[in-house]
Amino acid sequence: MSGNRGLLEYRLAEAASENRAALVAYLPGGFPTVDGGIEAVKAAVAGGADVIEVGLPHSDPVLDGPVIQTADDIALRGGLKIADIMRTVRETHEATGAPILVMTYWNPVDRYGVERFTAELAEAGGAGCILPDLPVQESGLWREHAEKHGLATVFVVAPSSKDARLATITAAGSGFVYASSLMGVTGTRESVGEQAQDLVRRTRATTDLPVCVGIGVSTAEHARQVAGFADGVIVGSAFVKLMLDAPDEAAGLAAVRALAAELAVGVRKR
């Protein structure tokens, strides 16, 4: 069975045709529970998210800040398995029709088996993976199986990336390019730095892939700013913090939907 890379590409192109940026929402799988995580994804799409990233919780993150780490710890202590991530992808895609990617570090995929992981993700209706710690020069095996199963391979670029390195990364990727707005881990920030705009400009010089900006984007005003120069706006920690701070799951889901609605307005105010 083929994955939904084509659907991801279509949704990003659809947003561009409407002269706006796409809203990409990140939510960790298994948080606060597997069922609760599925409902959180549905809430984000109902609020206006175009694309979803489901995080595969990992005990040794390099990109995730304290908010997402806290949620990941809750999920892992709850006994989360990769099978639960596949279930999350399947049920949320079937319920919403949205393209669903998995954001994961390489170790869980390597241990699970690349062929098994890509085959199961495609069968679940997944659109691809974001792999923040997989070096491009070591990604051949992954990309071979992802291509075979119709999955996008999204790599992360950073403000420190030199132009030649950007060209190497973007040539190997598909779906879109994840541009980190700053050097550091995920989390809400007061503002989105100018270096993000420069990174998008330099990345676009190397590829026709859409460039989506994440890390530090948390408000409708941030979304508006980033939508002015990027093809997509990625928000994660702000959603997770709402869930962590909510008095109960129902309140958390309502807050996720409300924030997604605010951000959806923001990405339309270029």
Side-chain angles (χ1 to χ4, degrees):
M1 180 173 178
S2 182
N4 274 311
R5 170 177 157 181
L7 175 62
L8 171 66
E9 294 167 345
Y10 173 79
R11 286 295 169 86
L12 292 170
E14 184 179 47
S17 73
E18 296 171 359
N19 192 32
R20 66 175 178 88
L23 175 59
V24 183
Y26 168 96
L27 291 154
F31 169 75
T33 62
V34 175
D35 288 341
I38 290 169
E39 293 306 314
V41 171
K42 293 178 184 177
V45 176
D50 299 290
V51 177
I52 294 292
E53 300 173 10
V54 172
L56 197 167
H58 186 50
S59 58
D60 187 27
V62 296
L63 189 68
D64 299 314
V67 170
I68 291 175
Q69 285 186 41
T70 298
D72 282 1
D73 185 62
I74 291 170
L76 291 170
R77 289 177 183 274
L80 181 84
K81 305 296 183 186
I82 288 180
D84 298 315
I85 297 296
M86 299 301 177
R87 177 189 157 208
T88 299
V89 171
R90 177 180 293 103
E91 293 191 11
T92 55
H93 173 64
E94 288 177 352
T96 67
I100 314 288
L101 298 112
V102 171
M103 186 165 187
T104 178
Y105 297 100
W106 181 243
N107 181 263
V109 177
D110 189 42
R111 292 289 299 272
Y112 199 71
V114 176
E115 168 62 19
R116 180 184 178 194
F117 190 96
T118 52
E120 290 185 8
L121 181 57
E123 191 277 330
C129 268
I130 301 166
L131 300 155
D133 67 339
L134 177 62
V136 171
Q137 62 270 26
E138 298 175 19
S139 67
L141 178 64
W142 164 267
R143 287 188 285 126
E144 175 189 343
H145 287 287
E147 185 69 26
K148 180 171 74 171
H149 291 291
L151 299 170
T153 298
V154 178
F155 290 112
V156 179
V157 297
S160 61
S161 302
K162 303 298 184 184
D163 290 352
R165 179 65 176 166
L166 288 176
T168 299
I169 293 172
T170 58
S174 56
F176 66 91
V177 182
Y178 188 127
S180 171
S181 71
L182 44 76
M183 300 299 295
V185 296
T186 60
T188 60
R189 305 293 198 281
E190 291 299 317
S191 62
V192 179
E194 291 183 5
Q195 57 187 353
Q197 187 167 358
D198 179 64
L199 176 58
V200 170
R201 178 188 61 77
R202 293 193 298 117
T203 303
R204 279 183 174 155
T206 71
T207 183
D208 291 328
L209 290 173
V211 183
C212 301
V213 171
I215 303 186
V217 183
S218 60
T219 67
E221 177 57 23
H222 288 166
R224 184 195 66 77
Q225 292 172 10
V226 173
F229 58 82
D231 301 297
V233 179
I234 303 170
V235 180
S237 294
F239 285 118
V240 180
K241 190 173 189 304
L242 289 174
M243 295 286 288
L244 284 169
D245 292 346
D248 54 51
E249 187 175 306
L253 295 174
V256 165
R257 180 169 181 165
L259 176 59
E262 292 174 14
L263 294 167
V265 171
V267 300
R268 287 165 170 79
K269 291 185 175 179
R270 282 188 155 169

